[in-house]
């Protein structure tokens, strides 16, 4: 997964819906690189990791960072991450069942846990899919 290689990302779950074109992501940031970056975003060098993860300006900036990262990687799909939820706790700290022993995400369990968050992110989107238009090859 291209987005998991970003310097600010520790773990990521990317999810899509048939109702909208773009994707959403639940991101656990890498604290050591994320904090200084996010502090610059909000202009507060005293802000801590938890506070920064709750700030919508930081979440929006993370979504932009991931879009740029995806564009640089020249992915074959025009679909991008539209919105991000930043989680300050590693998935395994929330529930050991969220990750396999090799640290692969167990999507179904995480989707159940973040159901209301994911619904909220999708509701923020304003770009529904036009099912009458062939989007294949229009990258």
């Amino acid at each position: 997964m291209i987005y998991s290689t970003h310097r600010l990302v520790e773990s990521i779950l990317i999810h899509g819906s048939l109702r909208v074109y773009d994707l959403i992501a639940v991101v656990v940031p890498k604290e050591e690189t994320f904090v200084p970056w996010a502090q610059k975003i909000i202009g507060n060098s005293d802000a801590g990791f938890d506070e920064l993860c709750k700030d919508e300006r930081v979440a929006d900036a993370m979504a932009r960072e991931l879009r740029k990262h995806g564009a640089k990687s020249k992915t074959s799909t025009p679909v991008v991450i539209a919105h991000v939820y930043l989680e300050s706790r590693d998935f395994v700290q929330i529930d050991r069942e969220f990750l396999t022993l090799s640290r692969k995400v167990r999507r179904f369990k995480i989707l159940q846990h973040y159901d209301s968050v994911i619904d909220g992110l999708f509701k923020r989107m304003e770009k529904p899919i036009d099912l009458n238009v062939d989007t294949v090859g229009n990258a």
Side-chain angles (χ1 to χ4, degrees), residues 2-21:
I2 216 63
Y3 296 108
S4 64
T5 63
H6 193 282
R7 66 182 181 84
L8 297 173
V9 175
E10 182 70 40
S11 299
I12 188 168
L13 171 79
I14 299 170
H15 187 63
S17 169
L18 293 176
R19 297 174 292 157
V20 294
Y21 187 69

Side-chain angles (χ1 to χ4, degrees), residues 93-126:
Q93 290 176 314
I94 299 167
D95 188 335
R96 285 185 223 174
E97 294 296 316
F98 283 179
L99 298 178
T100 66
L101 292 176
S102 60
R103 294 204 42 91
K104 291 183 181 175
V105 173
R106 289 188 171 143
R107 293 183 54 78
F108 181 72
K109 294 223 178 244
I110 294 177
L111 289 173
Q112 281 182 317
H113 180 80
Y114 290 102
D115 185 53
S116 63
V117 169
I118 289 168
D119 284 347
L121 291 173
F122 280 126
K123 285 178 184 172
R124 289 180 60 192
M125 291 190 195
E126 298 177 3

Side-chain angles (χ1 to χ4, degrees), residues 22-39:
D22 294 324
L23 305 171
I24 59 95
V26 177
V27 176
V28 178
K30 283 185 187 171
E31 189 169 355
E32 62 278 358
T33 54
F34 172 78
V35 169
W37 172 83
Q39 287 172 336

Side-chain angles (χ1 to χ4, degrees), residues 48-68:
F49 186 60
D50 290 338
E51 178 184 351
L52 293 165
C53 285
K54 293 174 185 170
D55 193 299
E56 276 193 42
R57 297 170 294 175
V58 176
D60 291 343
M62 176 66 87
R64 287 191 301 274
E65 276 289 313
L66 292 174
R67 286 193 292 270
K68 284 193 280 186

Side-chain angles (χ1 to χ4, degrees), residues 67-85:
R67 286 193 292 270
K68 284 193 280 186
H69 187 68
K72 284 181 192 173
S73 69
K74 298 182 171 99
T75 57
S76 61
T77 177
V79 180
V80 297
I81 294 174
H83 298 290
V84 167
Y85 174 78

